[in-house]
Each structure stands twice: as C-alpha cells, then as structure tokens.
Amino acid sequence: MQVKFLRALEDKEIQRASDLSRGNLKIDVRVIASTNKDLTEAILNGTFREGFYYKLNVVPIEIPPLRHRKEDVGDLLDLFIKKYDTYRKIKGFTLEAMKLLKNYNWPGNIRELENAIERIVILAKESYIKAAELPIEILGLLGITRSALIYRMQKHNIN
C-alpha cells in the first residue's frame, strides 16, 4: 500500500478503479498524517518505506502527548463538555475532580480524555462533577470497587 500511495504522490495521478478505460486522473493533494510510532525506527525495521517517509515528512509538526501538556487539560475538558453535553446540564467539576483529571497520566492521550468526558456526561446526575463520578482509572484505584471508593471518599469527606 505504501508503494501505491508514494507513486500517487510522486506522479500526481491516480488510476480510477471504477473506469479503467478513461485513464489516470490528475490530482493535486497535500497529505496531513499523524502517528504515535517512531517512523525512523520503522524504517530501520523494514516496516516503513524510506522514500515514503521523506515524501510525507515535508513539514513535520510534533505535538507532545497530553501527559506532557497538563495545561491543556482544562481547555480540552471545556471543548468535550460542549461537544457531548447537548442539554448543557454540566456546569463544571469540583476542585477534587479537576485535580484528579489534571494529574492523571492520560496513556490513551486525547482520545482517552474525550471518551472519559463522554462517559461522565452520560452518567452525570448533578451539574458539578465530583471525583467519585470519574472513571476508576483516573482515580488510580483499579483494585477497588466503585461502591467501596465512594464509601471511602464519603468517610474522608472528599467530593
């Protein structure tokens, strides 16, 4: 597949799959691609073509993972709340919940944050999200049940 895509980018034309008799179609495209893989390592391993890498790597933009951009979490929370809270029932997060969200490592990056917010919006019972309503992974207590967690949080007066 890499060979065909590279050829299309270099020749600036593609072959129509539906009508081979009409010949090739001229194209003028720019490609924006992203990956979480180390492509130079993939080239060394033989799983990524070097020519294709250089054709795609015209203007590289490196965006660090979310765990290295904790200051972006608040803005992303606002964005995803607006996206998923269509009835505008969520007003915000308690301080404890916000602290947990900002301190979480986000191994799944922005996709994990978005999915967590979608889940929170769906399950929210009140207008301010409490720490107990966050996914268990964010709470850092994978070995504890949600009910046990809520009990402990109430016992220690944590919202």
Side-chain angles (χ1 to χ4, degrees):
M1 184 58 111
Q2 291 178 36
V3 174
K4 291 180 180 183
F5 198 31
L6 176 59
R7 186 176 303 125
L9 291 174
E10 287 179 341
D11 297 345
K12 297 190 186 268
E13 62 182 27
I14 56 174
Q15 186 176 28
R16 299 171 195 252
S18 61
D19 190 1
L20 299 176
S21 64
R22 293 182 60 190
N24 292 343
L25 179 66
K26 295 285 185 190
I27 59 171
D28 182 17
V29 297
R30 303 294 178 269
V31 176
I32 298 173
S34 68
T35 183
N36 60 357
K37 306 287 186 221
D38 182 351
L39 292 183
T40 53
E41 184 178 312
I43 291 168
L44 294 173
N45 293 338
T47 57
F48 201 85
R49 296 182 61 87
E50 188 173 14
F52 191 40
Y53 171 80
Y54 289 115
K55 192 66 177 176
L56 290 177
N57 198 30
V58 176
V59 180
I61 301 171
E62 291 191 28
I63 301 174
L66 187 56
R67 68 181 164 272
H68 298 304
R69 298 180 291 126
K70 299 287 187 176
E71 67 278 3
D72 291 348
V73 170
D75 291 336
L76 290 167
L77 289 172
D78 291 341
L79 175 76
F80 295 137
I81 289 288
K82 286 177 187 167
K83 180 177 180 180
Y84 293 107
D85 185 18
T86 55
Y87 297 108
R88 304 292 181 242
K89 64 181 181 179
I90 307 296
K91 303 283 186 247
F93 296 85
T94 63
L95 292 175
E96 293 87 358
M98 185 62 81
K99 183 178 176 184
L100 287 166
L101 288 163
K102 287 189 175 186
N103 288 329
Y104 183 61
N105 198 32
W106 300 109
N109 220 341
I110 292 175
R111 285 185 191 99
E112 181 182 9
L113 175 61
E114 182 174 5
N115 288 339
I117 296 306
E118 183 178 12
R119 175 183 173 182
I120 288 166
V121 167
I122 290 168
L123 299 176
K125 294 180 178 142
E126 297 181 30
S127 59
Y128 283 91
I129 304 302
K130 297 177 182 176
E133 296 175 83
L134 300 178
I136 200 89
E137 302 82 18
I138 295 170
L139 298 170
L141 302 166
L142 292 174
I144 188 171
T145 65
R146 181 168 287 283
S147 58
L149 172 66
I150 292 169
Y151 169 77
R152 290 179 185 168
M153 291 178 80
Q154 288 172 342
K155 182 178 175 183
H156 296 286
N157 203 20
I158 299 173
N159 292 320

